[in-house]
Amino acid sequence: MTTYLDASLNWLRNYPELYTLFCLTLLLLAAWLCNWIVKRILVKGVYRLLSSASLGLKSEVTNTPMIARLANVVPALILSTGILAVPGLPEALVTVVGNVCSAFIILTIVLAISNLLDIVNAVYQRRPDARFRPIKGYIQVLKIGIFCLASILIIATLIDRSPLILLSGLGAMAAVLLLIFQDTLLSLVASVQISSGDIVRIGDWIEMPQLNASGDVIDIALHTVKVQNFDKTITTIPTKRFISDAFKNYRGMQESGGRRIKRSLFLDQQSVHFIDGDEYRHLHRFSLLADYLDNKQKELKEWNDKLAERGQEPVNTRRITNLGTFRVYVERYLRSHPGLRQDMTLLVRQLDPTSSGLPLEVYCFTNTVIWAQYENIQSDIFDHLLAILPEFGLRIYQQPSGADMRAFLTSDHPINAVTSLDDKHLTIR
């Protein structure tokens, strides 16, 4: 067998081109075989070891191709080393193949290090205090430094020059690049921050009032982000504005499944009063108020009984008001409404009185984030509240309109009745 191989090799040496092709074929087969062995045997074994229950790295390792990337180094090493032993190849071709393989090895190692840093970040996020002290930003800065260094090494390897030569001219070149590509670099940095920080996604509803943008994000590019407004117009926003300017992203609202209602009823303060016996019996008919009025009446009676003789004067006692009763009614009505989220904040509160009346604010969340359904639920609630308000002896504050003034001036009241009206004089009887 050995004699036959020697004879075959001696015969091939008589044909240099065929011999070179044969050696190249053997080299490629050797690289392929080593790659197959490493990925089918060694890599699988390493995956099983790292994903074992004792190490607890199953999800992190399987989600990152770190080990598979390192396996690519083996065939590249075989090619870069074996190409030197192939006879009859031009020296320039040997140099190019060796440089390309070396550059590929550097790139593969850097990508594997990047994956390793991702694993480190994922493992760190298991810590209870990880959300208070995140290291993602530091890891990203470290990645940038590693990739910049790898880029210099790869370029130096491909052109077969020392990396120090590139580093010596890097300062002047960087100044020129920063001047020419200033906007591009700012957009690039903004894009990286938007992507890494998950600031904006396609499909997010954002609002940026300073640019008159309020709608859904339909495209995120290097330099611009396109927003389709609700009137179907499109606003193009520079990517860097999402880092330098403030904007509102409604993704949290959409993911929570509830949309906030925050609206006030402005009540006429002159309509606020204590309820008497007839009003008490009238409001006691409301199923949402019966138990409240009974418990409140009992509480106030116990309080007023402690006043003894002073309790005989109504000014010294605590009494039920129509405003307080209405506030309780609104809250209980919201608690029983099928279109509202009961597991989110729900309250009815008074705000500071204004010249436009006393605001009674409704603060709650609907059980849908769909715009049309949200508006229907909100309208139904306030339709009911406005209609039921007179039952409590309360009035909505509204500035006088032209019809109100006309009715006031033409009334039969002796102070307000108009007897004559001309271009110059208004005579009041």
Side-chain angles (χ1 to χ4, degrees):
M1 186 68 177
T2 305
T3 305
Y4 176 76
L5 290 175
D6 291 338
S8 299
L9 290 175
N10 291 330
W11 179 81
L12 284 173
R13 288 190 183 97
N14 296 325
Y15 302 93
E17 292 150 359
L18 186 60
Y19 183 60
T20 301
L21 181 60
F22 175 75
C23 293
L24 281 175
T25 304
L26 288 180
L27 179 61
L28 293 175
L29 287 175
W32 176 83
L33 181 61
C34 292
N35 182 58
W36 185 86
I37 293 174
V38 169
K39 288 188 175 181
R40 291 299 180 93
I41 300 176
L42 295 180
V43 171
K44 287 187 177 180
V46 172
Y47 268 120
R48 290 194 185 95
L49 176 63
L50 293 178
S51 61
S52 61
S54 59
L55 294 176
L57 298 175
K58 182 176 181 179
S59 59
E60 287 79 6
V61 172
T62 54
N63 291 332
T64 55
M66 181 189 67
I67 307 300
R69 291 189 187 279
L70 288 176
N72 293 328
V73 174
V74 176
L77 284 174
I78 294 175
L79 289 176
S80 62
T81 305
I83 197 68
L84 300 173
V86 176
L89 290 178
E91 184 177 354
L93 179 60
V94 174
T95 303
V96 169
V97 172
N99 293 342
V100 171
C101 291
S102 300
F104 177 78
I105 292 172
I106 295 173
L107 178 62
T108 302
I109 293 175
V110 169
L111 293 176
I113 293 175
S114 176
N115 297 141
L116 178 61
L117 292 176
D118 292 335
I119 295 176
V120 171
N121 183 50
V123 174
Y124 177 81
Q125 287 180 347
R126 296 179 179 178
R127 295 166 53 95
D129 58 341
R131 62 191 183 97
F132 301 108
R133 296 180 179 179
I135 62 172
K136 187 174 182 179
Y138 302 104
I139 289 179
Q140 289 174 347
V141 172
L142 184 58
K143 282 185 179 181
I144 292 174
I146 293 174
F147 279 110
C148 289
L149 181 60
S151 300
I152 296 174
L153 293 177
I154 290 174
I155 294 174
T157 302
L158 291 175
I159 64 177
D160 200 14
R161 293 291 186 272
S162 173
L164 298 177
I165 298 176
L166 296 177
L167 291 173
S168 62
L170 189 61
M173 183 174 62
V176 175
L177 291 176
L178 287 175
L179 182 61
I180 298 176
F181 301 104
Q182 179 181 2
D183 293 337
T184 301
L185 292 175
L186 289 175
S187 299
L188 176 61
V189 173
S191 298
V192 172
Q193 292 180 346
I194 289 174
S195 177
S196 61
D198 198 17
I199 299 175
V200 176
R201 301 176 190 167
I202 294 178
D204 284 354
W205 169 19
I206 67 168
E207 184 176 339
M208 190 176 286
Q210 61 271 31
L211 297 179
N212 295 324
S214 179
D216 298 328
V217 177
I218 59 175
D219 181 59
I220 300 177
L222 177 62
H223 294 91
T224 59
V225 175
K226 291 183 180 179
V227 178
Q228 186 176 46
N229 302 310
F230 293 122
D231 59 358
K232 299 306 178 183
T233 59
I234 295 178
T235 301
T236 302
I237 305 174
T239 308
K240 58 185 179 182
R241 296 294 293 269
F242 285 88
I243 305 301
S244 60
D245 295 359
F247 71 97
K248 184 183 291 186
N249 192 332
Y250 288 89
R251 186 199 309 162
M253 177 269 292
Q254 293 172 332
E255 292 178 348
S256 68
R259 186 171 177 181
R260 185 183 69 177
I261 296 176
K262 185 182 179 183
R263 183 182 290 185
S264 298
L265 291 169
F266 287 87
L267 305 178
D268 189 345
Q269 299 178 72
Q270 296 182 358
S271 64
V272 179
H273 59 266
F274 296 109
I275 62 175
D276 54 19
D278 292 337
E279 285 183 301
Y280 179 86
R281 287 187 292 273
H282 173 72
L283 296 176
H284 199 275
R285 298 182 298 112
F286 290 73
S287 59
L288 295 176
L289 292 176
D291 59 337
Y292 163 75
L293 291 174
D294 292 339
N295 295 333
K296 194 68 175 180
Q297 189 75 2
K298 180 179 179 182
E299 175 190 342
L300 297 182
K301 185 177 184 305
E302 294 176 355
W303 173 275
N304 295 331
D305 289 343
K306 296 179 182 178
L307 299 177
E309 295 182 359
R310 290 185 175 274
Q312 302 301 322
E313 294 291 336
V315 295
N316 296 326
T317 60
R318 291 175 57 192
R319 287 176 285 173
I320 302 177
T321 64
N322 62 340
L323 177 58
T325 306
F326 178 68
R327 180 168 49 83
V328 173
Y329 173 82
V330 174
E331 182 177 352
R332 294 193 173 191
Y333 173 75
L334 297 178
R335 293 290 181 189
S336 61
H337 198 287
L340 299 180
R341 291 283 296 266
Q342 304 300 325
D343 57 338
M344 292 185 174
T345 304
L346 190 154
L347 55 88
V348 182
R349 59 175 182 169
Q350 292 183 30
L351 302 181
D352 294 337
T354 67
S355 59
S356 299
L358 176 65
L360 186 69
E361 185 182 77
V362 173
Y363 192 104
C364 57
F365 290 83
T366 62
N367 58 7
T368 179
V369 297
I370 301 175
W371 190 9
Q373 297 178 7
Y374 162 79
E375 293 293 349
N376 286 334
I377 294 173
Q378 182 175 230
S379 299
D380 288 343
I381 291 174
F382 281 89
D383 288 347
H384 176 78
L385 296 182
L386 290 172
I388 203 71
L389 191 64
E391 298 286 341
F392 294 81
L394 294 168
R395 296 189 302 270
I396 288 292
Y397 181 88
Q398 178 175 297
Q399 294 183 356
S401 64
D404 296 329
M405 295 301 298
R406 188 179 301 108
F408 175 77
L409 293 175
T410 57
S411 65
D412 293 334
H413 196 281
I415 298 178
N416 302 328
V418 178
T419 58
S420 65
L421 182 63
D422 54 32
D423 295 338
K424 296 183 178 180
H425 300 90
L426 176 64
T427 304
I428 307 294
R429 183 176 66 235

